[in-house]
């Protein structure tokens, strides 16, 4: 995590085949050598994560857990305590990789088991704080913001008490992300700036890069595109230098979103396709699905409603399966744009209301694209439907629960996929993501 991190990651990459052979040997050596395989998995955990070997790292860790469980002695002694600590750490890493790959149910189970075991052991507070930190990350992605705040606040308290700057910086980064989701942009930037300062003091290029990217996300959500682009260029250069595949993909993805917000559709599509290819190789399902949303928005802006509906429906179904309600809200608003573009104003207003209700129930701030689509559609639908009819249909959508909104949206998308083709809005203009 220091200033020579890239040099050491390169060394591990050069020795990857040998390290893999060592793991194979350790797993074949029997229960007596179970600690070697477990310790090697943990020693390689940051390498697996940062160089994009997610699937390999997850597979090795699950095998190490299976073998460790068989080897745990019934009697409580020094070896049993040592193996239980290894098990708690392996459960944590298994949860981290599952989270990165969008397998949230498994991530939640693994992280919960790790926390329970660490509380029982009562040892190594820094390890315990690391698990709380990942629980906070997962909870934000699963839209459980109260749980996220509790977990991250407890982790930060532990790290501050220990004077652990690395841990403090990492948690401040996540608290910045949480504050952004809640629409608390000034608070978000304060957390993130403190995190950047700490990472920079330690020479942690990886942490600095990750946090600067989050500051760029906040800027993009605020509509400060020039600031976002400047930061993202720096983040991309740093990620490429560090060999950080997921960081490169995230930076390119954000660049695509900025291009989309500025109406540069060809550039947005080019970047999004590149990003989806990277995440597909990493096994990052959720991030790949986010790309489908962007492609849907691009198609919507081009007036290709059948294409837009197909991309958005596919993304919505994945988000629904993963209980990712925040992302479902964005899809609902985008599908409202599809409905409006086909001249189905009442349906568009209901989907708008349903999207707004999702964010209201979460206590979350709607993302830039949802807000912009909503503002544009409001003025247009009030003009075409009339204020009273628009308000009535919108309220009907707001009264839908999440499941009802999902079913209504899937039905809507299916209709357009059956050959709706390209459409224009009744006033002759196609949908736009430019601010009204």
């Amino acid at each position: 995590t220091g200033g020579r991190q890239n040099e050491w990651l390169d060394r591990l990459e050069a020795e990857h085949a040998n390290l893999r052979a060592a793991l194979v040997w350790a797993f074949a050596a029997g229960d007596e050598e179970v600690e070697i395989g477990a310790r090697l998995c943990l020693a390689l955990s940051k390498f697996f994560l940062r160089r994009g070997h997610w699937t390999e790292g997850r597979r090795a860790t699950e095998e190490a857990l299976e073998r460790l469980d068989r080897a745990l002695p019934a009697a409580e002694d020094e070896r049993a305590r040592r193996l239980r600590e290894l098990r708690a750490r392996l459960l944590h890493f298994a949860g981290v990789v599952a989270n990165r790959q969008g397998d949230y149910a498994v991530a939640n189970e693994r992280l919960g088991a790790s926390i329970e075991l660490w509380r029982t052991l009562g040892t190594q507070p820094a390890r315990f704080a690391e698990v709380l930190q990942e629980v906070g990350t997962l909870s934000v992605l699963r839209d459980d913001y109260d749980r996220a705040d509790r977990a991250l606040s407890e982790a930060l308290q532990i790290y501050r008490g220990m004077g652990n700057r690395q841990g403090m910086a990492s948690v401040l980064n996540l608290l910045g992300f949480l504050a952004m989701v809640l629409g608390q942009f000034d608070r978000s930037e304060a957390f993130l700036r403190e995190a950047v300062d700490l990472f920079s003091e330690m020479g942690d290029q990886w942490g600095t890069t990750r946090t600067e990217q989050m500051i760029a996300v906040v800027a993009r959500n605020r509509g400060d595109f020039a600031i976002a682009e400047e930061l993202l260029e720096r983040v991309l250069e740093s990620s490429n230098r560090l060999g950080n595949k997921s960081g490169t993909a995230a930076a390119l993805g954000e660049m695509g979103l900025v291009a989309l917000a500025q109406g540069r559709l060809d550039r947005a599509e080019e970047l999004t396709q590149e990003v989806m290819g990277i995440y597909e190789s990493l096994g990052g399902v959720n991030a790949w699905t986010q790309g489908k949303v962007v492609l849907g928005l691009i198609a919507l802006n081009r007036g290709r409603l059948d294409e837009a509906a197909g991309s958005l429906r596919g993304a919505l179904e994945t988000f629904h399966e993963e209980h990712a309600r925040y992302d479902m809200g964005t899809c609902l608003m985008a599908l409202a744009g599809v409905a409006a573009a086909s001249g189905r104003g009442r349906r568009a207003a209901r989907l708008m209301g349903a999207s707004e209700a999702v964010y209201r129930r979460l206590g979350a701030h709607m993302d830039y694209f949802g807000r912009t689509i909503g503002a544009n559609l409001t003025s247009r639908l009030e003009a075409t439907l009339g204020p009273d009819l628009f308000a009535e249909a919108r309220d009907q959508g707001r009264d839908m629960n999440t499941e009802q909104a999902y079913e209504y949206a899937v039905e809507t998308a299916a209709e357009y996929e059956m050959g709706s083709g390209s459409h224009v809005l009744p006033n002759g203009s196609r949908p736009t993501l430019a601010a009204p």
Side-chain angles (χ1 to χ4, degrees):
T1 55
R4 298 175 63 193
Q5 58 194 177
N6 201 40
E7 173 189 340
W8 280 95
L9 287 166
D10 284 344
R11 288 189 180 192
L12 290 170
E13 197 75 70
E15 293 291 338
H16 194 173
N18 288 330
L19 294 165
R20 187 182 289 121
L23 271 174
V24 171
W25 172 86
F27 289 150
D31 290 349
E32 290 304 312
E33 307 295 346
V34 68
E35 287 186 61
I36 294 178
R39 286 167 54 200
L40 187 52
C41 274
L42 293 167
L44 291 170
S45 59
K46 283 188 172 64
F47 167 67
F48 284 140
L49 281 174
R50 295 186 171 186
R51 285 298 170 90
H53 306 298
W54 294 357
T55 301
E56 179 184 356
R58 185 176 179 184
R59 186 167 54 241
T61 303
E62 292 292 348
E63 185 167 354
L65 272 170
E66 183 181 332
R67 292 175 181 278
L68 195 65
D69 286 344
R70 289 203 304 265
L72 276 170
E76 187 61 41
D77 56 16
E78 177 60 25
R79 182 170 184 267
R81 184 198 59 77
R82 192 169 64 247
L83 291 181
R84 284 186 173 82
E85 286 189 351
L86 284 173
R87 185 173 189 274
R89 293 177 63 193
L90 286 168
L91 285 166
H92 172 210
F93 181 54
V96 169
V97 184
N99 190 12
R100 297 295 183 277
Q101 293 189 315
D103 196 348
Y104 296 144
V106 171
N108 196 51
E109 186 274 326
R110 291 286 188 256
L111 293 170
S114 181
I115 281 183
E116 184 179 342
L117 187 49
W118 278 124
R119 289 196 190 278
T120 301
L121 289 166
T123 58
Q124 300 197 43
R127 302 282 188 200
F128 178 48
E130 287 176 0
V131 188
L132 288 170
Q133 181 178 320
E134 192 66 27
V135 168
T137 305
L138 176 63
S139 298
V140 175
L141 295 174
R142 295 283 293 212
D143 312 316
D144 192 345
Y145 306 133
D146 289 339
R147 183 190 185 204
D149 187 57
R150 288 194 304 272
L152 294 173
S153 296
E154 185 177 358
L156 185 60
Q157 183 179 9
I158 293 170
Y159 285 137
R160 286 198 191 280
M162 298 173 63
N164 185 329
R165 293 188 300 164
Q166 181 73 35
M168 289 163 56
S170 297
V171 174
L172 286 165
N173 186 312
L174 293 168
L175 285 168
F177 179 43
L178 174 60
M180 182 194 68
V181 170
L182 297 175
Q184 302 164 357
F185 294 140
D186 290 342
R187 188 164 179 255
S188 175
E189 285 196 4
F191 281 134
L192 294 170
R193 296 292 179 188
E194 185 179 354
V196 164
D197 289 344
L198 286 168
F199 281 130
S200 298
E201 289 169 11
M202 294 181 289
D204 187 343
Q205 302 168 59
W206 210 281
T208 301
T209 298
R210 189 173 73 244
T211 309
E212 286 187 334
Q213 179 185 312
M214 188 55 61
I215 295 172
V217 175
V218 176
R220 192 255 302 161
N221 265 295
R222 281 182 138 163
D224 296 331
F225 302 132
I227 294 173
E229 284 187 298
E230 180 183 346
L231 282 167
L232 290 169
E233 288 290 348
R234 193 159 70 223
V235 167
L236 181 61
E237 189 277 329
S238 181
S239 295
N240 286 335
R241 186 178 68 252
L242 292 168
N244 179 1
K245 293 179 184 177
S246 59
T248 295
L252 290 171
E254 271 301 314
M255 287 178 169
L257 290 172
V258 171
L260 175 59
Q262 295 173 322
R264 295 183 287 134
L265 302 184
D266 290 344
R267 178 61 173 160
E269 183 174 19
E270 175 190 346
L271 288 167
T272 302
Q273 293 286 8
E274 183 177 356
V275 169
M276 290 174 72
I278 296 173
Y279 278 122
E280 189 169 13
S281 71
L282 293 173
V285 176
N286 184 268
W288 189 87
T289 306
Q290 296 284 355
K292 296 290 288 183
V293 177
V294 179
L295 293 179
L297 291 172
I298 292 169
L300 172 60
N301 271 251
R302 286 172 170 161
R304 300 173 183 170
L305 300 193
D306 49 351
E307 184 181 326
S311 288
L312 292 167
R313 180 181 61 81
L316 182 65
E317 288 174 346
T318 300
F319 292 142
H320 176 259
E321 184 179 340
E322 294 293 342
H323 306 286
R325 291 168 292 168
Y326 185 96
D327 294 315
M328 287 179 65
T330 302
C331 286
L332 290 169
M333 187 62 80
L335 284 167
V338 173
S342 70
R344 304 185 187 189
R346 291 191 188 185
R347 188 173 286 257
R350 291 189 191 104
L351 287 167
M352 278 186 65
S355 174
E356 292 164 348
V358 168
Y359 287 104
R360 186 185 67 244
R361 285 191 289 268
L362 291 174
H365 187 71
M366 188 177 291
D367 74 349
Y368 172 84
F369 294 105
R371 296 197 311 272
T372 306
I373 293 171
N376 277 302
L377 291 182
T378 296
S379 59
R380 289 170 178 170
L381 292 175
E382 282 185 337
T384 56
L385 293 176
D388 292 341
L389 191 56
F390 168 67
E392 179 186 346
R394 191 179 196 176
D395 286 342
Q396 290 170 350
R398 288 172 173 173
D399 289 338
M400 294 181 187
N401 61 36
T402 304
E403 195 64 30
Q404 290 169 334
Y406 167 72
E407 292 174 358
Y408 187 68
V410 168
E411 173 191 316
T412 299
E415 288 182 12
Y416 303 129
E417 285 181 86
M418 292 173 65
S420 63
S422 299
H423 290 79
V424 294
L425 287 167
N427 65 0
S429 64
R430 285 181 173 170
T432 176
L433 292 175

